[in-house]
Amino acid sequence: MRKLMRLRVPVAQRVVGPVDRVLPGEEIAPGLRYLEQWTPWPHDDDVLSLHDIRHDTARRADLLAFDTETTGLAGGTGTRAFMIGAADFRDGGLRLRQLCMTTLGAEGAMLRTFAGWLSPATVLVSYNGRSYDRPLLSTRYRLARLRDPLPELRHVDLLHPVRRRYRGVWANCRLATVERELLGVLREDDLPGSEAPGAWLAYLRGGSADKLRRVGLHNAQDLRSLFGVLEAMRDEA
C-alpha cells in the first residue's frame, strides 16, 4: 500500500550527545596543554650511589625521569611525540609534569618547554629511552630547527641494568613485568601503549578525550615506576 501511495517510511533520527573533549591541565600555548601533579616520595638521601647499576653517583635533585607517548613505535622522521612526561624530586616528593599537544602546530612550543626543564646538571632517567625516546626527540628538535639539549646530558637507561640482572630469570624485561616483579604494581584498566596513537589521532579529529586521558594516566604511572625501579635496583644490589 505504501509503495502504491508512494509514501516514504520515516527513518528514526539518532540522538547524539555532546562529545567529551575535556583534558586535564591548562593550555600554556595554542594547542599545548600542561598538567602538573605532586605525590609524596619519602627519602633521606640527597646523593644516590648508582655504582651497582654501573653509573656514577648523582644528586637526587638533578635526576629527571622522562617518557614520551608517540604516534608509532617504528621511529624515524614520520614519528612524533604528542606527549612528554617528566618527573623530578621537589619539596620532599615527586613532581610530575606532562605536556600534551592538541594540535600539530604545538610541537615547537612543546619542545621548547621541555628544553626549559633541563640544565647542564640534569641526569636523565628512562626505560629504553637511550634507544627510542631520546633519538626520537632529537629528530624532532632537528626538524623543528631547534637546539637539541639531550645528547650532552648524562643518561641512566634502566633497561640495561634490568636486563643484566634479570634476563633469563623473568619471561621478559618489559616495564610492566619489572613493575610487577620489583614494585608489586599491577595496572588495572591501563590503556595498552599500542592504542595511544589512535587515542591521540581520534581526539585531533574531534573525538572523545576519554582514551587520551587514559594515555596521560599511563604516562604518569610510567614516570613513577621509573623512580620506583631505580630505588629497587639500588636496594637489591
Side-chain angles (χ1 to χ4, degrees), residues 159-170:
L159 174 63
H160 305 294
V162 166
R163 278 181 173 169
R164 284 194 295 268
R165 192 174 298 179
Y166 296 109
R167 177 181 283 167
V169 178
W170 299 337

Side-chain angles (χ1 to χ4, degrees), residues 67-89:
D67 183 56
T68 64
E69 305 299 333
T70 70
T71 57
L73 298 177
T77 57
T79 303
R80 68 178 72 211
F82 64 84
M83 181 180 292
I84 303 176
D88 56 4
F89 292 99

Side-chain angles (χ1 to χ4, degrees), residues 45-48 58-64 88-90 121-122:
D45 52 350
D46 293 329
V47 178
L48 282 71
R59 295 175 61 244
R60 190 178 287 270
D62 292 335
L63 296 173
L64 185 133
D88 56 4
F89 292 99
R90 291 296 182 274
T122 296

Side-chain angles (χ1 to χ4, degrees), residues 125-186:
V125 179
S126 71
Y127 201 84
N128 198 34
R130 187 179 293 277
S131 298
Y132 183 74
D133 302 82
R134 194 188 75 179
L136 185 146
L137 288 176
S138 292
T139 297
R140 303 316 302 179
Y141 276 109
R142 184 171 65 252
L143 292 175
R145 298 184 179 180
L146 296 171
R147 175 182 169 275
D148 178 11
L150 299 173
E152 62 198 44
L153 302 179
R154 284 182 57 192
H155 192 159
V156 178
D157 189 333
L158 292 169
L159 174 63
H160 305 294
V162 166
R163 278 181 173 169
R164 284 194 295 268
R165 192 174 298 179
Y166 296 109
R167 177 181 283 167
V169 178
W170 299 337
N172 57 63
C173 290
R174 295 173 55 245
L175 183 57
T177 302
V178 181
E179 288 176 329
R180 184 179 65 250
E181 299 292 341
L182 285 185
L183 310 180
V185 172
L186 294 175

Side-chain angles (χ1 to χ4, degrees), residues 28-29 32 34 99 108-118 141:
I28 59 173
L32 180 64
Y34 171 74
L99 298 166
M110 182 178 71
L111 293 172
R112 285 189 290 270
T113 302
F114 179 60
W117 297 352
L118 310 174
Y141 276 109

